[in-house]
PDB file of all heavy atoms in Angstrom:
ATOM      1  N   MET A 399       7.787   7.371  23.221  1.00 80.00           N
ATOM      2  CA  MET A 399       6.480   7.632  22.613  1.00 80.00           C
ATOM      3  C   MET A 399       6.631   7.757  21.098  1.00 80.00           C
ATOM      4  O   MET A 399       7.539   8.416  20.597  1.00 80.00           O
ATOM      5  CB  MET A 399       5.885   8.920  23.176  1.00 80.00           C
ATOM      6  CG  MET A 399       4.562   9.332  22.561  1.00 80.00           C
ATOM      7  SD  MET A 399       3.915  10.843  23.320  1.00 80.00           S
ATOM      8  CE  MET A 399       2.542  11.182  22.231  1.00 80.00           C
ATOM      9  N   LYS A 400       5.739   7.106  20.379  1.00 93.00           N
ATOM     10  CA  LYS A 400       5.801   7.165  18.923  1.00 93.00           C
ATOM     11  C   LYS A 400       5.260   8.496  18.417  1.00 93.00           C
ATOM     12  O   LYS A 400       4.499   9.186  19.094  1.00 93.00           O
ATOM     13  CB  LYS A 400       5.020   5.999  18.326  1.00 93.00           C
ATOM     14  CG  LYS A 400       5.672   4.646  18.604  1.00 93.00           C
ATOM     15  CD  LYS A 400       5.075   3.553  17.751  1.00 93.00           C
ATOM     16  CE  LYS A 400       5.819   2.239  17.963  1.00 93.00           C
ATOM     17  NZ  LYS A 400       5.276   1.155  17.126  1.00 93.00           N
ATOM     18  N   ALA A 401       5.652   8.832  17.196  1.00 95.00           N
ATOM     19  CA  ALA A 401       5.305  10.135  16.632  1.00 95.00           C
ATOM     20  C   ALA A 401       3.797  10.297  16.501  1.00 95.00           C
ATOM     21  O   ALA A 401       3.105   9.403  16.011  1.00 95.00           O
ATOM     22  CB  ALA A 401       5.974  10.290  15.267  1.00 95.00           C
ATOM     23  N   PRO A 402       3.272  11.440  16.900  1.00 97.00           N
ATOM     24  CA  PRO A 402       1.840  11.693  16.714  1.00 97.00           C
ATOM     25  C   PRO A 402       1.517  11.917  15.233  1.00 97.00           C
ATOM     26  O   PRO A 402       2.342  12.426  14.475  1.00 97.00           O
ATOM     27  CB  PRO A 402       1.589  12.954  17.541  1.00 97.00           C
ATOM     28  CG  PRO A 402       2.919  13.612  17.655  1.00 97.00           C
ATOM     29  CD  PRO A 402       3.941  12.530  17.623  1.00 97.00           C
ATOM     30  N   VAL A 403       0.315  11.550  14.861  1.00 98.00           N
ATOM     31  CA  VAL A 403      -0.125  11.636  13.471  1.00 98.00           C
ATOM     32  C   VAL A 403      -1.521  12.241  13.428  1.00 98.00           C
ATOM     33  O   VAL A 403      -2.358  11.957  14.293  1.00 98.00           O
ATOM     34  CB  VAL A 403      -0.162  10.236  12.815  1.00 98.00           C
ATOM     35  CG1 VAL A 403      -0.683  10.322  11.389  1.00 98.00           C
ATOM     36  CG2 VAL A 403       1.208   9.588  12.838  1.00 98.00           C
ATOM     37  N   THR A 404      -1.773  13.058  12.429  1.00 98.00           N
ATOM     38  CA  THR A 404      -3.127  13.514  12.138  1.00 98.00           C
ATOM     39  C   THR A 404      -3.570  12.886  10.821  1.00 98.00           C
ATOM     40  O   THR A 404      -2.815  12.886   9.847  1.00 98.00           O
ATOM     41  CB  THR A 404      -3.196  15.049  12.033  1.00 98.00           C
ATOM     42  OG1 THR A 404      -2.993  15.612  13.328  1.00 98.00           O
ATOM     43  CG2 THR A 404      -4.551  15.505  11.499  1.00 98.00           C
ATOM     44  N   VAL A 405      -4.776  12.351  10.801  1.00 98.00           N
ATOM     45  CA  VAL A 405      -5.344  11.789   9.578  1.00 98.00           C
ATOM     46  C   VAL A 405      -6.551  12.627   9.181  1.00 98.00           C
ATOM     47  O   VAL A 405      -7.500  12.780   9.962  1.00 98.00           O
ATOM     48  CB  VAL A 405      -5.767  10.309   9.769  1.00 98.00           C
ATOM     49  CG1 VAL A 405      -6.433   9.784   8.491  1.00 98.00           C
ATOM     50  CG2 VAL A 405      -4.561   9.454  10.131  1.00 98.00           C
ATOM     51  N   VAL A 406      -6.507  13.162   7.974  1.00 97.00           N
ATOM     52  CA  VAL A 406      -7.599  13.962   7.429  1.00 97.00           C
ATOM     53  C   VAL A 406      -8.292  13.151   6.342  1.00 97.00           C
ATOM     54  O   VAL A 406      -7.660  12.745   5.362  1.00 97.00           O
ATOM     55  CB  VAL A 406      -7.074  15.294   6.851  1.00 97.00           C
ATOM     56  CG1 VAL A 406      -8.186  16.026   6.100  1.00 97.00           C
ATOM     57  CG2 VAL A 406      -6.504  16.159   7.959  1.00 97.00           C
ATOM     58  N   GLY A 407      -9.578  12.907   6.538  1.00 96.00           N
ATOM     59  CA  GLY A 407     -10.340  12.098   5.589  1.00 96.00           C
ATOM     60  C   GLY A 407     -10.563  10.707   6.142  1.00 96.00           C
ATOM     61  O   GLY A 407      -9.598   9.968   6.352  1.00 96.00           O
ATOM     62  N   LEU A 408     -11.829  10.343   6.388  1.00 96.00           N
ATOM     63  CA  LEU A 408     -12.122   9.069   7.040  1.00 96.00           C
ATOM     64  C   LEU A 408     -13.067   8.203   6.209  1.00 96.00           C
ATOM     65  O   LEU A 408     -13.985   7.565   6.732  1.00 96.00           O
ATOM     66  CB  LEU A 408     -12.709   9.311   8.438  1.00 96.00           C
ATOM     67  CG  LEU A 408     -11.786  10.059   9.414  1.00 96.00           C
ATOM     68  CD1 LEU A 408     -12.507  10.311  10.731  1.00 96.00           C
ATOM     69  CD2 LEU A 408     -10.489   9.298   9.627  1.00 96.00           C
ATOM     70  N   GLY A 409     -12.821   8.203   4.886  1.00 95.00           N
ATOM     71  CA  GLY A 409     -13.478   7.196   4.063  1.00 95.00           C
ATOM     72  C   GLY A 409     -12.864   5.842   4.388  1.00 95.00           C
ATOM     73  O   GLY A 409     -12.068   5.714   5.336  1.00 95.00           O
ATOM     74  N   PRO A 410     -13.192   4.806   3.627  1.00 96.00           N
ATOM     75  CA  PRO A 410     -12.656   3.468   3.934  1.00 96.00           C
ATOM     76  C   PRO A 410     -11.138   3.435   4.052  1.00 96.00           C
ATOM     77  O   PRO A 410     -10.587   2.785   4.952  1.00 96.00           O
ATOM     78  CB  PRO A 410     -13.153   2.627   2.757  1.00 96.00           C
ATOM     79  CG  PRO A 410     -14.403   3.305   2.316  1.00 96.00           C
ATOM     80  CD  PRO A 410     -14.152   4.770   2.517  1.00 96.00           C
ATOM     81  N   MET A 411     -10.418   4.162   3.155  1.00 96.00           N
ATOM     82  CA  MET A 411      -8.959   4.131   3.199  1.00 96.00           C
ATOM     83  C   MET A 411      -8.421   4.922   4.383  1.00 96.00           C
ATOM     84  O   MET A 411      -7.546   4.454   5.123  1.00 96.00           O
ATOM     85  CB  MET A 411      -8.382   4.678   1.891  1.00 96.00           C
ATOM     86  CG  MET A 411      -6.869   4.525   1.767  1.00 96.00           C
ATOM     87  SD  MET A 411      -6.326   2.803   1.715  1.00 96.00           S
ATOM     88  CE  MET A 411      -6.721   2.382   0.007  1.00 96.00           C
TER      89      MET A 411
END
Side-chain angles (χ1 to χ4, degrees):
M399 177 179 172
K400 292 193 175 181
V403 177
T404 290
V405 177
V406 172
L408 299 177
M411 187 64 78

